[in-house]
Amino acid sequence: MTLSMSQPAVADLVESFSGADPDRLGEEYLRLAGLLLDGGTATELASPAVPLLVELLRTAPADRKAHPAVLLGLLAGAEDPAGDGELATAVGREVDLYLDLWIGSANGQPLSLALAYLLSHFPEHRDRILSVAGDRGLDVYDLSKLDRALARLDLEDPVIGRVFPSPAVWALMDEAERDFDNSWIKAMPTEQIILNWDKDTSTVRGNLGAAAHWAALNGAPTPVEVGTVPPRDELPPPPDGGTELFAPHAAALRCPRCASGLDLTGAEVRCAACAAVYPVANGILNLTEDAERNAGDFLYKLAEVPSMGHFYEAYARPNFLRLAGSNWGTAISPADEDAYITEHVRPVDGPVLDLACGAGRWTQTLTEAVGADRVIALDMYPPMLTATRRRLPELPAVMAGARRLPFGDATLGAVMCWNALQAFPDDAPEAIKEIGRCLRPGGTFTFLTFHSSADPVYRHLVACHYFPGHQSGMELFELDDIKAWLAAAGLTIRHEHGPGTFVLITAERPA
């Protein structure tokens, strides 16, 4: 495609959108977006398109205003091919129009969401924008996203990493948890603080944009189903539990250093071959390769942000499914997830592993499906294991990574990995290979993850999110890659399901 089209030619493209039949409106919108943007970079057509999009926003019928508002937001945040910032300046000249339209739009509807995303790019108008937001009673979660998107970094008191699913959620942390969370921020050099601040800003704007873009194509999102975080004084410590919890599964467990069997007959877990010692506390066995024998240090790690697991399940997870699964319309509900697990996890003899168990919500579904006496929960993050042990005190929990599972060859009856593979994308191929190694013949691997959207605008907005496993921006899997990794691990797909950008698969190690 030649990117030297005149303004009249760009006008023809805008006209094609504005005059499109309702059933072709989304197609024309995406076609126009594809001509103005290449991922996060504006094309040479973007600059002449700005006044035309502004005029379209001003004059189009109400049901066609959200689309140009989203496009203007994308252009305001895009890399300018001229490198002079003039594109963002041109979009920003019409803030008065955007505010007037926003005042007249209904909260939660496509136009309101699109204008909030567009306005999030103009921190120089922060006070005016937030004043309008306050007057119109914007949802507290969306208001906190907008407030953060328009904020300036205070190097004397930087707030980093508290933006998803919205900054308002992080206000639920108590003072001790906030102090603990701040400890890693204070250790950062200034340049790292600035970089992370910019990544947080991108995440907030990307989240506003993903909701707005989906709504422009599909209508208003359904409300997200969030849970609650129990008061801190109602969070008991995880129950005691030593080697006796793991004894029924001793035949499957292996030393992460030398892959030999483990001796669980005493108060400590020892490798029968290399004499390595692994700590057990509160029913959690540390089988990381660099596990410390110092039980006090291990207990300290288990105390990190004690309510984090509940926070994750109540707020972060349902909002992440909306983003990664394109699930703004609730194509998949928690009840659907429960039903899939119950129907498709079919273990043969041996323990059933919940890999990357999180806070235990889906571990509970797994135990109800196969029996608590068969399940081992595994995660790398101590607060998640602590939350799982609070929820399911009868279960043994293992702290370990997915690249090298601490289980013997052909020892597990089934493996589940629910909404987690995308959290360690670089390790996913090796993790699936390990699952294939550990499964017994006939054993199943059941998982939920996500693939990249075929919609390049949505794909770009997802990539604007920065999470711990996605420090270069979140990129989801390609479905063909997932299937290739399963085949390389010797696993055969038995069932596949996937509305939106969900991937729900059950694979089997053939008998």
Side-chain angles (χ1 to χ4, degrees):
M1 179 181 66
T2 301
L3 299 181
S4 59
M5 300 173 71
S6 63
Q7 186 164 355
V10 177
D12 289 342
L13 298 173
V14 174
E15 180 64 28
S16 294
F17 162 77
S18 63
D21 292 336
D23 61 348
R24 294 188 61 250
L25 190 63
E27 178 186 340
E28 288 296 326
Y29 162 63
L30 291 176
R31 186 167 80 95
L32 181 57
L35 293 167
L36 301 181
L37 292 145
D38 181 10
T41 302
T43 71
E44 293 176 11
L45 303 182
S47 184
V50 169
L52 300 171
L53 291 171
V54 168
E55 185 62 20
L56 182 61
L57 180 60
R58 192 190 310 273
T59 61
D63 63 349
R64 301 197 177 203
K65 288 182 183 291
H67 308 81
V70 173
L71 290 176
L72 287 166
L74 289 163
L75 295 179
E79 294 180 36
D80 191 334
D84 56 10
E86 188 57 35
L87 183 61
T89 300
V91 178
R93 290 191 185 106
E94 300 292 340
V95 166
D96 288 344
L97 170 65
Y98 311 150
L99 287 172
D100 287 344
L101 289 170
W102 199 32
I103 290 169
S105 64
N107 285 339
Q109 295 302 305
L111 180 57
S112 176
L113 295 171
L115 289 165
Y117 169 58
L118 172 54
L119 289 163
S120 73
H121 293 86
F122 307 114
E124 63 273 21
H125 298 284
R126 171 183 169 83
D127 291 344
R128 294 175 61 204
I129 294 169
L130 293 181
S131 175
V132 171
D135 289 343
R136 68 199 309 272
L138 198 65
D139 172 272
V140 63
Y141 300 113
D142 285 343
L143 178 60
S144 72
K145 293 178 196 177
L146 189 59
D147 177 76
R148 172 57 186 82
L150 298 168
R152 303 287 192 182
L153 171 61
D154 178 3
L155 284 172
E156 297 300 316
D157 185 24
V159 179
I160 303 294
R162 300 178 191 152
V163 296
F164 187 86
S166 76
V169 168
W170 291 85
L172 298 170
M173 295 174 69
D174 64 22
E175 185 175 356
E177 291 168 342
R178 197 171 291 111
D179 289 344
F180 197 108
D181 191 51
N182 277 332
S183 62
W184 62 270
I185 299 174
K186 293 176 181 177
M188 280 185 179
T190 299
E191 60 271 18
Q192 189 65 42
I193 290 175
I194 295 171
L195 176 62
N196 283 355
W197 174 271
D198 291 342
K199 288 181 175 181
D200 284 353
T201 304
S202 175
T203 298
V204 170
R205 287 181 181 154
N207 199 254
L208 290 168
H213 175 69
W214 188 93
L217 288 168
N218 301 284
T222 57
V224 66
E225 227 180 280
V226 297
T228 57
V229 178
R232 274 52 174 185
D233 56 5
E234 293 181 14
L235 285 173
D240 290 335
T243 56
E244 71 283 354
L245 270 178
F246 301 87
H249 308 301
L253 291 165
R254 294 292 183 273
C255 171
R257 296 182 185 177
C258 72
S260 298
L262 297 175
D263 180 2
L264 289 86
T265 57
E268 298 177 310
V269 174
R270 294 177 176 273
C271 176
C274 71
V277 178
Y278 299 98
V280 183
N282 300 333
I284 302 171
L285 170 60
N286 186 347
L287 286 182
T288 55
E289 292 188 38
D290 59 348
E292 298 287 340
R293 184 173 180 177
N294 185 337
D297 178 68
F298 186 41
L299 286 168
Y300 175 76
K301 289 181 181 297
L302 296 182
E304 290 177 336
V305 194
S307 63
M308 182 56 66
H310 296 277
F311 161 88
Y312 166 80
E313 291 291 3
Y315 296 101
R317 185 188 186 280
N319 281 282
F320 185 82
L321 259 68
R322 277 157 62 100
L323 172 71
S326 308
N327 200 39
W328 304 91
T330 319
I332 287 188
S333 68
D336 296 328
E337 296 180 68
D338 286 333
Y340 192 91
I341 292 168
T342 300
E343 180 178 354
H344 291 283
V345 177
R346 289 286 179 264
V348 293
D349 290 343
V352 177
L353 176 67
D354 186 4
L355 174 61
C357 63
R361 162 63 177 85
W362 309 101
T363 318
Q364 183 168 347
T365 301
L366 182 64
T367 63
E368 292 168 358
V370 304
D373 60 325
R374 302 196 63 182
V375 177
I376 302 173
L378 183 149
D379 204 287
M380 267 297 292
Y381 194 29
M384 296 300 182
L385 293 170
T386 299
T388 296
R389 287 279 298 139
R390 286 192 180 113
R391 185 189 291 267
L392 299 163
E394 70 275 25
L395 291 194
V398 172
M399 182 177 168
R403 281 188 64 86
R404 190 178 182 192
L405 294 176
F407 303 98
D409 295 353
T411 57
L412 300 178
V415 176
M416 183 178 84
C417 185
W418 208 249
N419 186 24
L421 274 178
Q422 72 286 340
F424 41 91
D426 293 340
D427 293 340
E430 190 63 29
I432 292 174
K433 181 179 177 182
E434 277 289 275
I435 291 164
R437 175 185 67 80
C438 295
L439 277 175
R440 289 188 173 186
T444 56
F445 172 37
T446 300
F447 62 98
L448 179 152
T449 188
F450 311 93
H451 67 80
S452 293
S453 175
D455 172 351
V457 174
Y458 195 80
R459 189 169 183 151
H460 162 66
L461 291 164
V462 168
C464 289
H465 289 70
Y466 292 85
F467 296 124
H470 298 266
Q471 282 302 297
S472 298
M474 189 168 75
E475 292 188 15
L476 300 173
F477 301 119
E478 299 301 326
L479 186 56
D480 287 346
D481 288 341
I482 295 173
K483 292 180 177 181
W485 299 334
L486 292 169
L491 302 175
T492 301
I493 295 174
R494 298 303 187 202
H495 189 270
E496 180 180 352
H497 179 52
T501 46
F502 281 96
V503 178
L504 291 90
I505 286 178
T506 297
E508 179 184 316
R509 181 176 178 181

